[in-house]
Amino acid sequence: MILAPKSLFRLTLLLLLCAIYVLPQAQAQTKVDLNKLDTYYQKALKDWNVPGMAIAIVKGDSVIFAKGYGVLDNKKGGTVDANSVFGIASNSKAYTAAALATLVDAGKINWKDKVKKYVPNLQLYDPFVTENLTIEDLLSHRVGLKTFSGDLLWYNTTYSREEIIHRMRYLKPTYGFRDGYGYSNLMFITAGQVVENVTGKTWENYIKETFLQPLGMSRTYTSVNELKGVSNVASPHGFDENGNPYATTQVAWDNWNPAAGIFTSVNQQAQWMRLQLNRGMYNGKRIFSENSSRNMWAAHNPMPISKRAEEITPSTHFAAAGLGWFVSDYQGRKLIYHGGGHEGMNSRTVLVPEENLGVVILTNSMSSIMSPLANYTIDQFLEIENSRDWSRFNLDAMAQAKKQSEEKKSKEKKKSAKATRNLNEYVGTYRSQVYGDATITLKNGKLELQLVPAPALGGTLDFWQHEIFNLDWKNKFALLHPTKVRFLTGEDGSIAEMRLDSNNPDFHFDELEFVKVKTNTSAKL
């Protein structure tokens, strides 16, 4: 199905009230066979075992394609269409960067301003970094922390943004300030606080007033809590051990909204792409300046390109973090892009400014289907001869990686039948300077772990070997992976510390470093 909005009607009204029709004007705007793309998307949905997704393409300031595939929920059903609402997660970072751009344009801040000027309680691992961190540093992943460092501070916790920023001081760097790349959600949470402290408005309200209302994005939301009573909303899905999708819970994490909190549809995100491709102009109205657009799309932090990446895409010669975006080259064109990983919802937005082309793919799945579909779509518009079947290429690579993982897992030692230590010796409160408290209790002969800042995170412990237990999470969130709880002994042989070990690509449980609290020394950090 193809969408070509007519200038005589307000676009948002069309999107909300009308179905998606096949309009010959859209196909006339491009040489690309949109029906061929449609067929490719349908096949990929089945091949990747994804419950549902939606895709929109902007070309020449028009939405030439917008369609949904699959179901909103693999148990409850519901058809995905171009107006279905998904979490776009880290695609929200471009909104936060653009919000700061509007403040630069208004003369209220400068890109080179020190963050501490606007967030006085900011304190990082080093006084020099604390005092010299700039707005641009916040948005380009160069503060010195490793990728996803500290993300457990927002995941399912009751911590406010202010408390998260306070606890960042305990995170340890892995490279020098402005001397490497480490993707940081926490810096974007901090950027949201800059917006709030400068404007006197919440980040959510400023985004609505500055972007959503002028662009007619009335079905775009800045919090999970706003989805109550909203129709046509996709459910998040994880994958079980057999690779089958299951619907999971939609959790409100308002503390991370400036980094990843927006929910929208492809029809609505298409308007955002139009604004971006027009360098801050939308239907004749200036939202942010062309200079700010250029700065957001500039290469602020170079990123390495692996040998394998060179082999796969030899036409890519550079990659870098922009401000709320990533930038690279491909087939002689500059790409502006970002992905998003929410609880059970992955997404991707890609812009090709020289072609006035934009692609957005939203899914209710933890799969990486978005990237190959975006790659294939761009290849068609760039008229790449003998274009790779990116979907099949990625599926084959994943199958090989899965085989290797299963071979490694099969070598893992089987658990012992019984712990040698009295289970009561593990019971107690454990404290992490970064995170806060965790408790180990004994109920009905089973040890139970509870992460105190995150009521939804905990579960029962099943003995494996030595002082190590398998953790059976009580909630099957899509972002959680198999986890072991490892206890460490002190000099006297008693249990002194606890670690959570998980081969989780999204969270560093190893940062928590829990130490057992002695009786009557449980004062709050």
Side-chain angles (χ1 to χ4, degrees):
M1 299 181 187
I2 301 166
L3 173 66
K6 298 182 179 180
S7 59
L8 296 177
F9 297 97
R10 187 174 171 84
L11 178 60
T12 53
L13 185 62
L14 178 67
L15 299 183
L16 291 173
L17 300 180
C18 299
I20 309 301
Y21 293 99
V22 176
L23 299 176
Q25 301 100 306
Q27 182 64 75
Q29 293 180 42
T30 178
K31 298 178 182 178
V32 174
D33 186 342
L34 298 180
N35 289 322
K36 176 184 175 182
L37 280 178
D38 184 24
T39 300
Y40 190 84
Y41 300 152
Q42 292 181 47
K43 183 177 187 302
L45 184 80
K46 296 178 181 178
D47 291 345
W48 286 77
N49 198 17
V50 169
M53 67 180 184
I55 301 174
I57 302 170
V58 168
K59 176 68 174 173
D61 201 31
S62 295
V63 185
I64 65 168
F65 185 95
K67 185 177 179 181
Y69 302 84
V71 296
L72 297 170
D73 188 295
N74 72 332
K75 286 188 176 180
K76 300 177 182 178
T79 302
V80 175
D81 59 35
N83 293 318
S84 297
V85 174
F86 295 80
I88 67 171
S90 288
N91 287 287
S92 306
K93 288 179 170 64
Y95 288 78
T96 296
L100 291 166
T102 64
L103 299 180
V104 171
D105 293 339
K108 295 182 178 180
I109 66 171
N110 188 288
W111 290 115
K112 306 293 184 184
D113 281 348
K114 304 297 191 294
V115 176
K116 197 164 177 64
K117 177 180 179 181
Y118 307 108
V119 187
N121 64 322
L122 175 71
Q123 183 179 330
L124 295 175
Y125 56 86
D126 181 88
F128 178 83
V129 178
T130 299
E131 297 298 329
N132 289 279
L133 187 75
T134 68
I135 302 294
E136 287 182 336
D137 293 327
L138 288 180
L139 305 179
S140 55
H141 309 293
R142 62 189 188 192
V143 71
L145 301 176
K146 63 185 175 183
T147 291
F148 301 145
S149 179
D151 274 2
L152 284 166
L153 290 173
W154 56 258
Y155 183 63
N156 274 296
T157 70
T158 57
Y159 288 143
S160 65
R161 293 171 202 165
E162 292 83 359
E163 179 69 13
I164 291 172
I165 291 172
H166 172 78
R167 289 181 173 274
M168 290 192 318
R169 67 192 63 194
Y170 303 119
L171 295 170
K172 300 173 184 178
T174 56
Y175 61 89
F177 180 46
R178 298 177 186 156
D179 191 32
Y181 168 81
Y183 187 92
S184 181
N185 286 306
L186 301 192
M187 293 304 113
F188 275 81
I189 291 174
T190 307
Q193 289 305 103
V194 174
V195 172
E196 295 195 354
N197 293 343
V198 171
T199 66
K201 301 176 181 179
T202 65
W203 174 87
E204 289 81 0
N205 284 339
Y206 192 76
I207 295 297
K208 291 173 185 175
E209 294 172 10
T210 308
F211 304 121
L212 306 189
Q213 292 171 10
L215 273 59
M217 297 172 66
S218 59
R219 267 180 61 83
T220 297
Y221 308 93
T222 56
S223 168
V224 172
N225 290 319
E226 295 177 358
L227 298 178
K228 296 176 182 177
V230 175
S231 62
N232 199 7
V233 177
S235 297
H237 294 77
F239 285 107
D240 62 23
E241 294 181 352
N242 298 316
N244 297 314
Y246 65 91
T248 185
T249 307
Q250 191 73 267
V251 183
W253 306 326
D254 281 359
N255 53 12
W256 84 327
N257 285 347
I262 291 177
F263 284 73
T264 191
S265 68
V266 295
N267 268 336
Q268 303 255 290
Q269 184 72 355
Q271 307 317 306
W272 177 249
M273 292 195 297
R274 289 180 58 208
L275 170 70
Q276 291 288 334
L277 289 168
N278 283 302
R279 300 281 191 176
M281 289 284 289
Y282 183 81
N283 288 350
K285 180 179 179 180
R286 174 64 65 184
I287 305 296
F288 53 81
S289 69
E290 184 173 341
N291 284 339
S292 283
S293 172
R294 293 185 179 281
N295 196 37
M296 289 186 283
W297 290 0
H300 288 267
N301 189 13
M303 298 166 59
I305 298 177
S306 67
K307 180 180 179 181
R308 177 59 175 158
E310 287 180 343
E311 294 170 350
I312 295 172
T313 53
S315 69
T316 296
H317 306 94
F318 84 95
L323 304 182
W325 293 97
F326 292 101
V327 299
S328 67
D329 66 325
Y330 178 69
Q331 298 291 342
R333 280 82 162 182
K334 185 176 183 179
L335 298 184
I336 312 297
Y337 55 93
H338 212 293
H342 207 290
E343 178 75 42
M345 291 189 178
N346 286 348
S347 54
R348 191 165 184 83
T349 303
V350 184
L351 307 174
V352 191
E354 292 152 286
E355 301 294 327
N356 207 8
L357 172 68
V359 181
V360 58
I361 302 169
L362 308 181
T363 82
N364 58 359
S365 164
M366 292 295 290
S367 83
S368 55
I369 188 175
M370 323 82 56
S371 295
L373 293 191
N375 292 348
Y376 183 82
T377 302
I378 290 168
D379 279 359
Q380 304 314 299
F381 279 89
L382 298 186
E383 301 180 37
I384 305 301
E385 293 185 7
N386 301 316
S387 171
R388 175 182 282 136
D389 182 346
W390 284 100
S391 178
R392 175 45 51 192
F393 178 82
N394 280 265
L395 284 169
D396 290 345
M398 287 174 56
Q400 180 61 28
K402 182 180 179 181
K403 180 181 178 181
Q404 294 174 352
S405 176
E406 289 176 344
E407 290 175 351
K408 181 179 179 181
K409 186 177 181 180
S410 66
K411 297 177 182 179
E412 185 180 83
K413 295 179 181 179
K414 300 299 181 181
K415 68 178 183 179
S416 301
K418 185 179 180 181
T420 57
R421 187 185 293 267
N422 188 307
L423 295 182
N424 279 300
E425 295 184 44
Y426 299 101
V427 172
T429 297
Y430 295 75
R431 178 158 299 150
S432 161
Q433 188 178 45
V434 171
Y435 189 75
D437 288 353
T439 61
I440 296 291
T441 56
L442 182 61
K443 296 181 180 179
N444 300 320
K446 279 269 191 179
L447 291 177
E448 293 188 3
L449 166 73
Q450 178 59 57
L451 301 183
V452 175
L457 297 184
T460 57
L461 304 187
D462 187 21
F463 181 75
W464 183 51
Q465 65 178 10
H466 307 304
E467 306 286 2
I468 306 172
F469 294 74
N470 287 312
L471 172 58
D472 182 15
W473 292 105
K474 62 184 178 182
N475 287 303
K476 307 304 179 186
F477 294 124
L479 287 174
L480 293 179
H481 288 240
T483 304
K484 285 182 168 57
V485 178
R486 175 167 49 94
F487 293 92
L488 307 178
T489 57
E491 292 182 357
D492 62 356
S494 65
I495 298 298
E497 299 184 31
M498 177 179 69
R499 300 290 185 270
L500 272 64
D501 300 326
S502 178
N503 187 23
N504 190 312
D506 298 295
F507 300 112
H508 297 293
F509 284 94
D510 60 302
E511 290 183 322
L512 305 189
E513 297 183 348
F514 288 104
V515 176
K516 195 172 186 181
V517 177
K518 295 180 180 179
T519 307
N520 298 324
T521 59
S522 57
K524 181 182 178 183
L525 287 172

